[in-house]
Structure formats: structure tokens, C-alpha cells
Amino acid sequence: MIVLGIESSCDETGIAVYDSDRGLLAHTLHSQVAVHAEFGGVVPELASRDHIRYLVPLLEQALKQAKISKAAIDGVAYTAGPGLIGALMSGASVGRSLAWALGVPALEVHHMEGHLLAPMLEDRPPDFPFVALLVSGGHTLLAYVKGIGQYELLGQSLDDAAGEAFDKTAKLLGLGYPGGPALAALAEAGRSGVYKFPRPMIDRPGLDFSFSGLKTFALNTMQKAAEKDNGELSQQTKADISLAFEEAVVDTLKIKCRRALEQQYCDRLVIAGGVGANRRLRMELARMIRQLGGELFYPRIEFCTDNGAMIAQAGCFRLMAGETQPLEIEARARWSMQELKAI
Ligand code: KG4
Ligand code: ZN
């Protein structure tokens, strides 16, 4: 079965062609960084317009890359949420209409399910069950995954998502948008131990997270450092603060992942979502998993952040299982993963 996947939930337009027999045949991506950079964050209306501009050209490019015609498509999968409503509607309209015109089924895909299953795009996919750490700009959660659609929520962020905390702290440091990768890059020049940030909620039992306090801690640290440095933060101080912040987030995630694995008597861990692209996080989780004698799985960097491949794949799994949906277009800003059907 050949499935066309469409991702347009936020600031990336992604299209991919996934074949149930041969795997990923093609994927194309357009990032809106340049559109939103001058505003310091994503402007929803501009995001929708940009998706509309790029969806069809990217689709044609993906078909060309996959060396197939539209007639070869057996199904269309598109992100229906969670995300920005206008942005989601752009991809959903194109997906539904194309499927209707071709006389093939179309299926809504949950963006976070796409992320969660993204490691299955790789050569060494994880077996079920596994513990998944989903860390993106909008969500931070730990789930116990027994199969597709069987997601037991173990814990989640009570306030900011990890990616959001990276982005907000980066903004405080004057690093602009998108902040996470910029902060991580600056942290490379940081000196460990100059500043020490707290590890939120590790003393409490359970697997929930809270990251908003780290951003406030960063602000206070910056103000104190600026007083010492005659009001201006040096580049080295910014790098030291970035590193201390990154270490605190990574350490907190690592501690909770370990706790989740022990609680579930599981030794397979999957990391997915944009923050999963963070080098230090991958390195530290790999070290922890080695100590436990377990296995760590993550998608290649480009499939950690938003992309069409993960949507095409998740849609293909569900279409192959015979899932069908009515013709109406429904986009959801919020959508719990627990509502998904097990297949
Ligand atoms: O999954 P994603 O592309 O979009 C959402 O579904 O939210 O995740 C985007 C988030 C942003 O907050 C971005 O700053 C963060 O992932 N991110 C990173 C890195 N690359 C992306 N955070 C830390 N280090 C990185 N290398
Ligand atoms: Zn995402």
C-alpha cells in the first residue's frame, strides 16, 4: 500500500510517500523559519498562508522523487491535530480533496503518534512494549507503549513542554527563534559547573515534569550575572548559562526516563519529538541505557522535528489495519493520545 503523508501542524510543511512493502520512498520539507524569525515566534496566520503556498509544489516534488504518479497512491494521511487550527486545516483540506479526487481513503493522523512511531522509519525499529519519551515544542510526556494506539500515559509536563522551555530561555538570552537548536549550539561553548540549575520535581514520586521554573531561574541568573558584568552579559556567560540550563533539562528527563523504565520493568526506551534532536539528551540517555543493559531507539535528526514521513508511516499502519473515517474535515488544536484506537 502506498500512502501519501501530509504534515502542516505548525511551522513546517512536510510531504512524504510511504510504501508498506518498501518503506519510505520520498519526503520533502519546507521550513518556515525565515517567515517567523523577525517576529521571534510562530505567527499562526502567516503559518497557514505559507502552508497553502508550499503544499502542492512539495507534493509534486515528493511524487517525482518517489517516481510514482498520483494514480499509484492508495491512501492519504494528514495531521489533524494537535496544532494550529489554520495550519492543520491547510493540510487537511489538500489531503481530503486529493483523496476524494483519486477515490482513495483519507485518514487523520495524531501528530504525537506520528512522532512516537518515527523510530520505526529506521532500519532497527523497536519491538513493543517500550517506554517512550516524547519531547517536542508543545508536549513532554512519558508513555508505556504496548502497541499502536495503546498508549498508557505515565507522566507529563504540568506547565511548559521541554521544547517550550528551551525556546523561552533562548529568547531571554537574545538567541531568537527557533531557540532550542540555538541554545544547544551556544551551550557547546559553555563551561560546566559555572552555574548550577535545579532539577525540578525529581524529589517527588511520580513521572510528571515541570519546566517553567527553569526559565525563571535562568532569568534570575542572567540578572545577577549582568550586575557583576556591568549590565552586559558576555558571550561566555551566555554560553555558561545555556549549558547549565541544558544540563538541568537533560538530567531531569534522564532521571524520569530511568524511573519509568524501572517502574514498567522495561528496558527499551524510545525518544521522539523535536528535543530528541538534542545531542546531549541522546548522549546522556544512551549512557543511562547502557548502564541498565537496555536498548535506546530514536529517529534520525530530521525525523525528530516535524516531517511528513512520520505522518505517512503512522497513516499507513492505520489504513493497513482497515481504519476508515467519514469525509468531513476536522482539525483539533487539542487531542489526547488516549482517544486513539488500538490496532
Ligand atoms: O517536534 P517539533 O519539531 O514540533 C512540535 O511538535 O512542537 O519540536 C520543536 C521543538 C522546539 O521547541 C525546538 O526548540 C526544539 O524542538 N528543538 C530542540 C533542538 N532541536 C529542536 N531543543 C533542544 N535542542 C535541539 N537540538
Ligand atoms: Zn512535532
Side-chain angles (χ1 to χ4, degrees):
M1 175 180 242
I2 293 185
V3 175
L4 182 89
I6 302 176
E7 158 60 32
S8 72
S9 64
C10 190
D11 55 354
E12 251 122 16
T13 322
I15 305 272
V17 181
Y18 183 89
D19 182 342
S20 54
D21 293 331
R22 291 180 291 161
L24 190 65
L25 300 186
H27 71 102
T28 54
L29 191 81
H30 167 69
S31 160
Q32 299 183 352
V33 165
V35 175
H36 306 293
E38 65 174 298
F39 304 100
V42 179
V43 183
E45 179 57 26
L46 295 184
S48 315
R49 291 186 203 183
D50 207 58
H51 285 305
I52 291 169
R53 214 168 285 135
Y54 281 93
L55 277 161
V56 174
L58 285 177
L59 197 155
E60 276 161 2
Q61 204 182 317
L63 292 176
K64 206 186 251 176
Q65 238 183 56
K67 298 190 180 68
I68 59 161
S69 70
K70 286 191 190 76
I73 298 172
D74 299 306
V76 178
Y78 60 86
T79 307
L84 303 170
I85 284 292
L88 291 165
M89 284 301 286
S90 327
S93 315
V94 170
R96 275 268 163 224
S97 324
L98 179 68
W100 171 256
L102 296 173
V104 299
L107 209 66
E108 300 178 331
V109 172
H110 191 293
H111 181 78
M112 298 311 290
E113 177 170 74
H115 274 305
L116 193 146
L117 303 176
M120 294 187 167
L121 287 162
E122 305 302 340
D123 291 340
R124 193 178 61 93
D127 288 327
F128 298 113
F130 54 78
V131 167
L133 172 69
L134 277 183
V135 267
S136 72
H139 296 79
T140 293
L141 60 87
L142 274 163
Y144 184 58
V145 180
K146 281 185 267 184
I148 295 172
Q150 293 178 263
Y151 309 129
E152 185 189 328
L153 183 67
L154 302 174
Q156 61 186 328
S157 179
L158 304 177
D159 40 57
D160 291 353
E164 194 179 351
F166 263 98
D167 294 338
K168 287 179 177 171
T169 305
K171 205 167 188 176
L172 292 174
L173 286 163
L175 302 178
Y177 151 91
L183 189 149
L186 187 57
E188 298 279 333
R191 296 165 299 177
S192 192
V194 177
Y195 298 101
K196 174 95 177 150
F197 277 48
R199 275 51 174 161
M201 292 186 63
I202 55 165
D203 299 333
R204 279 197 239 165
L207 294 165
D208 286 334
F209 304 94
S210 166
F211 289 111
S212 68
L214 284 182
K215 169 193 68 196
T216 316
F217 197 90
L219 183 62
N220 292 338
T221 307
M222 284 168 64
Q223 281 166 348
K224 277 189 211 143
E227 278 166 25
K228 269 200 216 147
D229 285 1
N230 298 326
E232 265 303 297
L233 284 185
S234 69
Q235 200 59 11
Q236 185 61 55
T237 302
K238 285 187 183 181
D240 295 340
I241 293 175
S242 296
L243 178 60
F245 170 85
E246 188 183 48
E247 282 175 343
V249 175
V250 167
D251 217 26
T252 307
L253 291 171
K254 183 178 75 178
I255 292 167
K256 294 285 164 92
C257 282
R258 185 177 185 134
R259 200 179 282 179
L261 290 165
E262 285 168 356
Q263 176 188 306
Q264 298 304 127
Y265 299 104
C266 181
D267 62 2
R268 277 193 287 273
L269 179 67
V270 158
I271 337 171
V275 183
N278 185 275
R279 204 184 56 82
R280 183 173 305 277
L281 179 64
R282 286 175 178 241
M283 213 171 64
E284 289 297 321
L285 288 179
R287 199 199 309 248
M288 183 266 286
I289 280 287
R290 252 196 322 273
Q291 282 168 0
L292 291 181
E295 286 178 289
L296 179 65
F297 301 87
Y298 42 74
R300 69 196 87 157
I301 301 268
E302 62 183 320
F303 294 157
C304 278
T305 44
D306 293 347
N307 64 85
M310 65 182 194
I311 302 304
Q313 176 185 245
C316 185
F317 290 162
R318 288 191 170 274
L319 284 165
M320 294 275 289
E323 196 163 320
T324 55
Q325 280 163 2
L327 282 176
E328 74 204 72
I329 294 173
E330 196 187 347
R332 303 171 180 86
R334 289 174 187 281
W335 185 6
S336 157
M337 280 179 82
Q338 271 78 58
E339 288 172 38
L340 297 175
K341 276 189 230 148
I343 60 167

